[in-house]
Amino acid sequence: MYQIENKIKKFNILLIYLLPISLIFSTFLSNFIFIFISITFLIFNFKKKINIPNWILYFLVFGIYLIFNPANFLNLNENTSQVDHILKIIFFLRFPIFFLAVTLWIIEDKKKFTHILILSIISISFVSIDIIYQYYFNFDIFGFEAGGYNEQLNIYYRHSGPFGEELIGGSFLYKSIIICLSAKFFFNNNSHPGIFYVLTILVMLTLLATFFSGERVSAFKILMLSLIFYFFYFKTVKKKLIFIFLIILLPFTIFTVNDDLKNRYINQTKKEIGSLNNLLANSNHFKHYKSAYIIFKNNKIFGTGTRSFRYECEKVFFNVGDPKKQELIPLNRAAPPRIATQNKGCITHPHNYLFEIASDAGIIGIVLFMMFAFSFAVYFFKKNKLILLYGFIFYFPFLPSGSFYASWDNMMFWFTLSILFMFKNYYNENAREHS
């Protein structure tokens, strides 16, 4: 049995080595890696005593509630079978199990961790360069064209590099950049004095590529993440000021010399959220939030069921006399005469984690998620502030986000979380070796 387990662990290591590149080119392979590693971890460790952190337990409790939430069985849409719906939620639990597998079972020595770290940095560098290339030539090295063409301005305003039509290149970079930031300290020693400056250049390259991607939320998050990191993780005031100045100078220079990016990041943002009237009239995200709130208000305790927003938002109608007001009308009833148009902002998810949890899982879901978030913050405030910083930026509640249940987003988050967790374990050992 031990020999079989050892072979499976070696195979899992090879899969993890493939993960950074598969997250770019193959969601199917990435999902397979997460599922296979999670299942083999459960098989070989279900009889062993494992010290599971409280924050993982709270997340698992929250996930179990998502499975057995009564609203799942009351509000099933005709397009989704009950079995299919429940299976998708069950597989959602693979993410914390993957984290436990990597940190408690697979990565047992610094050498394996270093390989994963280097492969991750190579992937980040590749995506950054490819996005910048695509920005200047309107197609990347694989021939993928830029997205989001604006006919009025005759420009492409979204660039995703190797991700093609999925406009998530900037999201990939902001979810990954903290690997580069933390690696500065892992490799910064007397044996490799130039590594620190190489990684600094890489961070600036990643920042530049994120701005070129046209993803405003990703650009803001990566900027905020970098500023906070440099402020707290450099001991000398001189280093703090130098790097903070460089980070702030980058977008300022971009917007000064590039009118297209200035229009995308400054003018378009002002048009959408520059004032309350602009927010109400022009922001699609605000319409999504309002729809989620209307759904939650009518289903406060349990919500309407996991991943149900895409169906429930079809019931939200705008008032004829006051388009700022919305009402929720059951699909089996006709809208009253005072109600004009159906919610044209209806989409698969409300683009905000808290609004999505509120509309899908109700007050109980929000409470359970907040218990997880509080436990996560307490645990990593003592153990690893890098993860605390990353978790705060990822779940930042006042900005648009992807779907809470999205496989790719969660794979990016939990994989990076695993690297940061292992980084803390090996950083001190690395520092001692080169002291």
Side-chain angles (χ1 to χ4, degrees), residues 2 5-10 12-13 16-17 41 45 48 100-114 116 422 425-426 429:
Y2 175 77
E5 180 180 356
N6 196 42
K7 289 180 179 180
I8 292 295
K9 286 174 70 174
K10 288 181 178 179
N12 282 344
I13 281 291
I16 293 179
Y17 289 164
F41 172 75
N45 292 275
K48 297 179 183 178
L100 292 174
V102 172
T103 58
L104 299 180
W105 185 49
I106 298 176
I107 309 299
E108 297 177 324
D109 60 69
K110 188 180 66 177
K111 185 178 179 180
K112 294 184 179 68
F113 168 75
T114 304
I116 295 171
M422 301 307 293
N425 291 351
Y426 296 121
E429 177 184 343

Side-chain angles (χ1 to χ4, degrees), residues 25-37:
F25 293 105
S26 176
T27 302
F28 174 81
L29 178 58
S30 301
N31 270 307
F32 169 79
I33 292 172
F34 265 76
I35 292 171
F36 185 84
I37 289 176

